[in-house]
Amino acid sequence: MGDQDQSPYQNQNQNQDYVGLESYVVIHNIAKRHNVGTLARSATAFGISEVILVGRRDFNAFGSHGSTCHIRFRHFYSLSDARLFLKEKDCDICGVEITDNATAVGSHPFRKSTAFLLGNEGSGLSAKECQVCDYFVYIPQYGCGTASLNVTVAASIILHHFAVWAGFPERTRDGNKFVVAERPVHKVGRNFCTESAESVTEERKLKRENDAKNGFFEEMDGSDSSNNLLNAVFGD
Amino acid sequence: MGDQDQSPYQNQNQNQDYVGLESYVVIHNIAKRHNVGTLARSATAFGISEVILVGRRDFNAFGSHGSTCHIRFRHFYSLSDARLFLKEKDCDICGVEITDNATAVGSHPFRKSTAFLLGNEGSGLSAKECQVCDYFVYIPQYGCGTASLNVTVAASIILHHFAVWAGFPERTRDGNKFVVAERPVHKVGRNFCTESAESVTEERKLKRENDAKNGFFEEMDGSDSSNNLLNAVFGD
């Protein structure tokens, strides 16, 4: 246990350079919709700012254990629109893929706020998806029994490393569990999860700053029925 | 990216002190049997030696993507028998739980070959389970939306860190996938997965070294019907 004191993990919480860093997950046409539910649970555990869905809007919240209510989802019809949004936020786009030039995630090749683009469960990142990435990370494997990891497992390991690197403040605990926030109060029904007042204000600010074509969420009091539909699947 | 060269990860593969290290996963009465399948996929990815089932023998291989054929499973009826077996192998037993004295896994508090004891999905490790542990690790969380991680996600992050710390040699890749070994040849049928000749030899050696009461697997040509039954669920 001697190396504990020298670990880079211990210092990063105190490093002021890391303040304001954010992480995002970008999911492009994920094949197994139930993977999004478990992914949402890890995403909130590791402090990500938003889950960005590109292409198909629908998913299954199974496995989220209610986490989807605490996560902001954003939808774009195209990858280039998602890229534009992230670049306006000065984010790196990091592909999670075993490419020749990918860096092992444990070496923490991060530089600033980062959006992690996950490949489809079967085929990984396509050539088109790779083109929007600034760099790539991969998770080393050591055994003979599987070609790749489950997509949620892979995303969780990556997001965990980013949170450690970024020095996100650790969540308060109560006994042997982390404290879960109250569900947002403006709840329309069991399967509806609305934005908090704070997030609505932020959303409006973002709207002013960005092009309307990027497909932002409307607040729940808006009239966009497709966004209501998307919100409807957030509950578990 | 400047801290990459100083990362402890880069050096550990060359550290001869780490040769011969092994990792194990110990599952005691896991509630959701389908979790074992996905866990098996991560377990082989991160080079674990065996999955040890304590208590109930049955599980569901869904989610393993065939990985269960490449993993050695061992069963014990009691936690104290499992502990005896692991201590004869000079293993630490590390509980994965958010206890007051748990260390964040990223600081790599490992000392030697280690078996990781996972808690039940709902309640975590019981007092009795905590008693067999030499120390505890936990995975820091940062967001407000979940009290804990999915059990497979948690195990995967822990095993990933141990493999990095232990300097396990990385698996060969073919394109953007890691190479999967052939399925063992002595296959009785689709749902049967037998031991390789090498593992049978090793098994026999272990048998000589250890007390028969510890509940070792028999080879498939043996007459133990309950072991055959256990093997029968390894296929997917």
Side-chain angles (χ1 to χ4, degrees):
Chain A
M1 293 173 69
D3 68 342
Q4 215 175 316
D5 293 339
Q6 289 89 50
S7 166
Y9 297 111
Q10 304 300 311
N11 303 322
Q12 293 175 347
N13 275 320
Q14 281 81 49
N15 190 331
Q16 293 304 310
D17 293 345
Y18 293 91
V19 169
L21 288 173
E22 292 188 294
S23 60
Y24 297 81
V25 169
V26 185
I27 299 170
H28 186 208
N29 287 330
I30 203 161
K32 295 177 184 170
R33 291 180 295 167
H34 63 266
N35 276 334
V36 179
T38 328
L39 181 59
R41 187 173 172 191
S42 290
T44 184
F46 297 125
I48 76 149
S49 299
E50 295 181 359
V51 171
I52 294 177
L53 301 170
V54 183
R56 64 189 294 177
R57 282 173 101 95
D58 57 323
F59 66 89
N60 185 327
F62 180 79
S64 85
H65 284 233
S67 307
T68 43
C69 269
H70 299 277
I71 288 187
R72 307 202 55 217
F73 287 80
R74 189 179 295 271
H75 175 261
F76 295 96
Y77 289 104
S78 76
L79 212 48
S80 58
D81 282 347
R83 186 181 180 280
L84 204 65
F85 169 76
L86 292 164
K87 286 299 166 188
E88 280 170 354
K89 285 186 161 285
D90 194 28
C91 271
D92 266 338
I93 301 175
C94 173
V96 180
E97 182 61 277
I98 311 164
T99 58
D100 284 343
N101 57 350
T103 308
V105 67
S107 64
H108 293 182
F110 315 118
R111 303 177 291 201
K112 55 185 179 180
S113 291
T114 306
F116 295 98
L117 178 59
L118 299 170
N120 178 285
E121 298 93 337
S123 50
L125 291 180
S126 67
K128 190 182 160 196
E129 287 167 335
C130 286
Q131 278 172 10
V132 304
C133 297
D134 297 303
Y135 67 99
F136 298 88
V137 292
Y138 79 103
I139 300 161
Q141 292 185 201
Y142 310 91
C144 70
T146 185
S148 62
L149 295 163
N150 167 278
V151 66
T152 298
V153 167
S156 303
I157 291 172
I158 303 281
L159 294 174
H160 155 75
H161 275 293
F162 185 85
V164 168
W165 174 80
F168 288 164
E170 204 171 310
R171 182 78 184 160
T172 315
R173 298 184 226 163
D174 179 15
N176 63 355
K177 299 283 179 192
F178 289 96
V179 175
V180 179
E182 295 279 317
R183 284 199 177 206
V185 286
H186 302 296
K187 226 164 154 293
V188 177
R190 195 187 174 285
N191 285 329
F192 281 76
C193 190
T194 60
E195 310 288 274
S196 68
E198 187 188 0
S199 70
V200 169
T201 308
E202 193 201 346
E203 190 71 83
R204 285 177 178 148
K205 182 165 163 282
L206 281 171
K207 271 190 182 161
R208 287 194 299 275
E209 290 170 5
N210 291 285
D211 189 332
K213 76 164 184 165
N214 281 337
F216 296 149
F217 269 13
E218 304 292 327
E219 301 91 63
M220 282 303 287
D221 58 355
S223 59
D224 185 322
S225 64
S226 67
N227 279 326
N228 286 351
L229 184 67
L230 182 57
N231 282 331
V233 294
F234 290 175
D236 61 338
Chain B
M1 293 174 68
D3 69 340
Q4 214 174 315
D5 294 339
Q6 288 89 52
S7 166
Y9 296 113
Q10 304 301 311
N11 305 322
Q12 292 174 349
N13 276 319
Q14 281 83 50
N15 191 330
Q16 293 304 310
D17 293 346
Y18 291 92
V19 169
L21 288 173
E22 292 188 292
S23 61
Y24 298 80
V25 169
V26 184
I27 299 169
H28 187 207
N29 287 331
I30 202 160
K32 294 176 183 170
R33 290 180 295 166
H34 63 265
N35 276 335
V36 180
T38 328
L39 180 60
R41 187 174 172 191
S42 290
T44 184
F46 297 126
I48 76 147
S49 298
E50 294 181 359
V51 171
I52 294 175
L53 301 170
V54 183
R56 65 190 292 179
R57 283 173 100 95
D58 57 324
F59 66 90
N60 186 328
F62 179 79
S64 84
H65 284 233
S67 306
T68 43
C69 268
H70 298 278
I71 287 187
R72 305 200 58 215
F73 287 79
R74 189 179 297 272
H75 175 261
F76 294 96
Y77 289 103
S78 76
L79 212 49
S80 59
D81 282 348
R83 186 181 180 281
L84 204 65
F85 168 76
L86 291 164
K87 286 300 167 189
E88 280 170 354
K89 286 185 161 287
D90 194 28
C91 272
D92 267 338
I93 300 176
C94 173
V96 179
E97 183 60 277
I98 310 164
T99 58
D100 285 342
N101 57 350
T103 308
V105 67
S107 65
H108 293 183
F110 315 119
R111 303 177 291 202
K112 54 185 178 179
S113 292
T114 305
F116 295 97
L117 179 58
L118 300 171
N120 180 286
E121 297 92 336
S123 50
L125 291 179
S126 68
K128 190 181 159 198
E129 287 167 333
C130 286
Q131 278 171 10
V132 304
C133 296
D134 297 303
Y135 67 101
F136 298 89
V137 293
Y138 80 103
I139 301 161
Q141 292 185 200
Y142 311 91
C144 70
T146 186
S148 62
L149 295 164
N150 166 278
V151 67
T152 298
V153 167
S156 302
I157 291 171
I158 304 280
L159 294 175
H160 156 75
H161 275 293
F162 185 85
V164 167
W165 174 79
F168 288 165
E170 205 172 310
R171 182 76 182 163
T172 314
R173 298 185 226 162
D174 180 14
N176 64 354
K177 298 285 179 190
F178 289 96
V179 174
V180 180
E182 295 280 315
R183 285 200 176 203
V185 286
H186 302 294
K187 226 164 159 291
V188 177
R190 194 185 174 286
N191 284 329
F192 280 77
C193 192
T194 59
E195 308 288 273
S196 67
E198 188 188 358
S199 71
V200 168
T201 308
E202 192 203 346
E203 190 71 84
R204 285 180 177 147
K205 182 166 162 281
L206 282 170
K207 271 189 180 162
R208 285 194 301 273
E209 290 171 5
N210 291 287
D211 190 332
K213 77 164 182 161
N214 282 337
F216 296 149
F217 269 13
E218 303 293 326
E219 300 89 65
M220 282 302 288
D221 57 355
S223 60
D224 185 322
S225 65
S226 65
N227 279 327
N228 286 350
L229 184 66
L230 183 55
N231 282 332
V233 294
F234 289 175
D236 61 338

